[in-house]
Amino acid sequence: MAIIETEAALHVAHRDNHTHRDVNGGWLRPAVFGAMDGLVSNLALMTGVAGGSVAQQTIVLTGLAGLAAGAFSMAAGEYTSVASQRELVEAELDVERRELRKHPADEEAELAALYEARGVEPELAREVARQLSKDPEQALEIHAREELGIDPGDLPSPLVAAVSSFGSFALGALLPVLPYLLGATALWPALLLALFGLFACGAVVAKVTARTWWYSGLRQLALGGAAAGVTYVLGSLFGTAVG
């Protein structure tokens, strides 16, 4: 008897502690990837220019220009993308809202059929659909989730997306410029800080993946370092050709 009670207690404890990762990434994924994008692109831009043996002032100016241009471009693109997606969703919701108003019985039958297809007994499926269809807004929400896979009350904000994209990209792009702004006169401090930032971003990304933090960090470090190395070589070749 004691063994059974112990097993039951362990089962309850396991059930209560059962959690999952945030598979959508929440705010973490877009923020980290935005910062990583700014870091990699601006680091590659600056190393490419530095490879052409230009003056320090030119490298700093290039980094600041890359930061501003990239951040505004990301913000504008994100705003347009999210706004377009939201407008499309709202248009589809209007279609569903009209159908619920004009053909409520057909929509109720459609909802019952969806539940039946998922294994609910026909009579129970019809009763559930009937009760859920009493409230038009609740019916709209359920149809939107079942048919469109969206939550009408949780649509993304274009402004929030644009601001967060701008901020995360600018933060990442600032890292390779920061040593110069603090008085550095060589490329290597900017390179070291940027590579550290790449490793840190990769490690944070592991929070929303199944990889270990050190593997994710080293992978991003290698990819970002390769991008910087390639652009430095190209900058050297272009500088020699132009010079």
Side-chain angles (χ1 to χ4, degrees), residues 28 34 36-37 42 47 51 53 92 99 102 105 132 140 147 176 188 195 216 231 234:
L28 181 63
M36 195 180 298
D37 189 14
N42 216 30
T47 53
S53 301
E92 291 300 315
E99 289 299 313
K102 294 181 179 178
L132 293 177
L140 175 64
E147 299 177 28
W188 66 265
L195 291 178
S216 184
T231 53
L234 292 176

Side-chain angles (χ1 to χ4, degrees), residues 13-32:
H14 174 74
R15 182 185 60 193
D16 291 342
N17 293 329
H18 183 69
T19 58
H20 290 285
R21 296 172 185 263
D22 179 6
V23 295
N24 292 322
W27 61 269
L28 181 63
R29 186 177 186 277
V32 172

Side-chain angles (χ1 to χ4, degrees), residues 137-195:
E137 288 304 314
Q138 178 178 256
L140 175 64
E141 180 178 338
I142 294 171
H143 277 275
R145 287 179 175 176
E146 295 290 341
E147 299 177 28
L148 304 176
I150 59 173
D151 183 354
D154 191 28
L155 298 181
S157 166
L159 183 59
V160 171
V163 171
S164 61
S165 179
F166 181 95
S168 61
F169 185 97
L171 182 62
L174 178 63
L175 278 185
V177 187
L178 191 58
Y180 284 104
L181 298 179
L182 295 178
T185 57
L187 179 63
W188 66 265
L191 185 60
L192 287 178
L193 181 60
L195 291 178

Side-chain angles (χ1 to χ4, degrees), residues 36-164:
M36 195 180 298
D37 189 14
L39 181 51
V40 173
S41 62
N42 216 30
L43 174 62
L45 177 63
M46 292 175 63
T47 53
V49 172
S53 301
V54 299
Q56 174 188 337
Q57 183 180 4
T58 303
I59 299 176
V60 176
L61 181 60
T62 299
L64 293 175
L67 185 157
F72 280 111
S73 176
M74 287 286 291
E78 195 71 16
Y79 184 92
T80 302
S81 174
V82 174
S84 299
Q85 180 185 12
R86 185 180 179 115
E87 290 165 0
L88 174 61
V89 169
E90 288 175 344
E92 291 300 315
L93 288 176
D94 286 339
V95 172
E96 193 65 38
R97 191 176 286 108
R98 286 196 300 270
E99 289 299 313
L100 285 168
R101 186 174 60 252
K102 294 181 179 178
H103 310 289
D106 293 340
E107 292 297 308
E108 182 180 319
E110 183 179 351
L111 188 60
L114 285 173
Y115 290 136
E116 285 186 46
R118 294 188 177 185
V120 180
E121 295 181 0
E123 184 177 350
L124 179 58
R126 287 192 294 270
E127 178 60 21
V128 170
R130 184 187 67 80
Q131 293 189 28
L132 293 177
S133 298
K134 290 180 179 180
D135 183 355
E137 288 304 314
Q138 178 178 256
L140 175 64
E141 180 178 338
I142 294 171
H143 277 275
R145 287 179 175 176
E146 295 290 341
E147 299 177 28
L148 304 176
I150 59 173
D151 183 354
D154 191 28
L155 298 181
S157 166
L159 183 59
V160 171
V163 171
S164 61

